[in-house]
Amino acid sequence: MFAARDTLLLLLSWHRPLETMLALVTYCCVCLSPGLLLLAPCTVLLHWMTLTHEKRASTPARDVSSPKPTGTFPLPFTSSFFLPMDEASPEYLKNLQNLQNMMGEMSDLYDAVYARVHHFDWSSETEATRLFQGLLLVTAGVACVVALVPFRYLALGGGVSLFIANTRFVKYIVKQMMPQVLVIGQLHLESVMANYEALEQQLENQMAVVEVSLYEHQKTQEAGGDGSVVSCGCVVCVCVCVYVCMC
């Protein structure tokens, strides 16, 4: 598992450009023709047998008279996966170090998730409501993209972007432009949040029920105010009372 992970990381980091380019072309072919996945098991076995043959050819020939190792597995290649490993061997120490690193990564991941749980547990109703609305918008956008664009093109674009993002040129550009992009993004986010809060406050003001006192209209009538104004005020009061009763 750890060897496969290290191989994948080296492949994506363009450690060997020829192999990375070959993997990129293969990935594009698989995305455009998903039926090629049926060839994956045979390809993996052929690759493994080729590597085993090269390794066997590079090692010196063993004495035929020496006794052959006996094992509980009838297949010859299975014994290489279940050999007893010495605790002082480099492979054992490397696997132990990888396990410790993986446990540390999982612990860091748990701490990172736990530190952000308060955004989702409705401890702050306003923040959770805004996050819920944002998730609804993102879900609607993703649903529209999935409905309009075939999945193989989405996988193709995502995979090619991942390969390109790990090149040295793109890493250098991102490193140089990231501070400016973060500042601009923060300013735009603050502007959008300010406009959203203003719109939310306006909607709350429109939904609020304004109570009108009859005493003010009576005072206006006694002061000799315009009759039309008083009549309009009475009509408004009646409408407000009816609305309150209906609610």
Side-chain angles (χ1 to χ4, degrees), residues 140-161:
V142 173
C144 293
V145 172
V146 171
L148 297 176
V149 183
F151 179 75
R152 59 180 180 178
Y153 293 117
L154 294 176
L156 178 62
V160 173
S161 301

Side-chain angles (χ1 to χ4, degrees), residues 1 9 13 17 34 36 38 42 63 79 92 94 110 120 134 150 152 163-164 175 179 195 200 206 216 233:
M1 181 180 66
L9 292 177
S13 63
L36 294 176
L38 299 176
C42 298
D63 189 5
S79 59
Y92 180 84
K94 183 178 180 180
Y110 175 81
F120 303 91
R152 59 180 180 178
F163 276 97
I164 295 176
K175 183 179 179 180
N195 294 331
E200 190 176 22
Q206 291 179 358
E216 296 180 358

